[in-house]
Amino acid sequence: MRKLIVFNHITLDGYFVDASGSMNWAKAGQNDPEYNAFVGENASGDGTLLFGRVTYELMIQYWPTPMAKQHNPVVAEGMNNMPKFVFSRTMDQAS
């Protein structure tokens, strides 16, 4: 049996995004080498990513872009290459 590993950014009061739907608040750790190593290690695994529709839509807007590849090439490569499952009642297909 495989492991299910959860990696979430969540506020202390239980939110994933702010009132406008943005995750900009979660960028606080981006200049932290220990945090970046942790994220890079997670993204370089051989697993499968599980997303809800809203999180998937946030991720797909950023990780395939040249900016993501420039800012964090290891994570961008992992995010773009790993297979993904998206749980949604409204999406017919994920790209």
Side-chain angles (χ1 to χ4, degrees), residues 8-48:
N8 281 331
H9 284 99
I10 188 167
T11 64
L12 292 175
D13 55 353
Y15 290 94
F16 293 96
V17 295
D18 65 18
S20 66
S22 172
M23 285 186 69
N24 285 338
W25 63 268
K27 293 182 180 179
Q30 71 184 5
N31 293 323
D32 180 342
E34 183 178 2
Y35 174 80
N36 289 334
F38 172 75
V39 172
E41 183 178 335
N42 281 330
S44 63
D46 63 350
T48 300

Side-chain angles (χ1 to χ4, degrees), residues 2-80:
R2 297 186 67 172
K3 292 183 202 177
L4 176 61
I5 300 169
V6 177
F7 177 58
N8 281 331
H9 284 99
I10 188 167
T11 64
L12 292 175
D13 55 353
Y15 290 94
F16 293 96
V17 295
D18 65 18
S20 66
S22 172
M23 285 186 69
N24 285 338
W25 63 268
K27 293 182 180 179
Q30 71 184 5
N31 293 323
D32 180 342
E34 183 178 2
Y35 174 80
N36 289 334
F38 172 75
V39 172
E41 183 178 335
N42 281 330
S44 63
D46 63 350
T48 300
L49 298 170
L50 304 174
F51 290 111
R53 178 191 56 82
V54 173
T55 303
Y56 174 77
E57 288 175 344
L58 286 168
M59 296 294 185
I60 199 68
Q61 292 176 35
Y62 177 69
W63 288 113
T65 67
M67 182 186 301
K69 292 174 186 172
Q70 177 185 359
H71 288 152
N72 203 327
V74 173
V75 177
E77 182 178 347
M79 292 293 289
N80 293 325

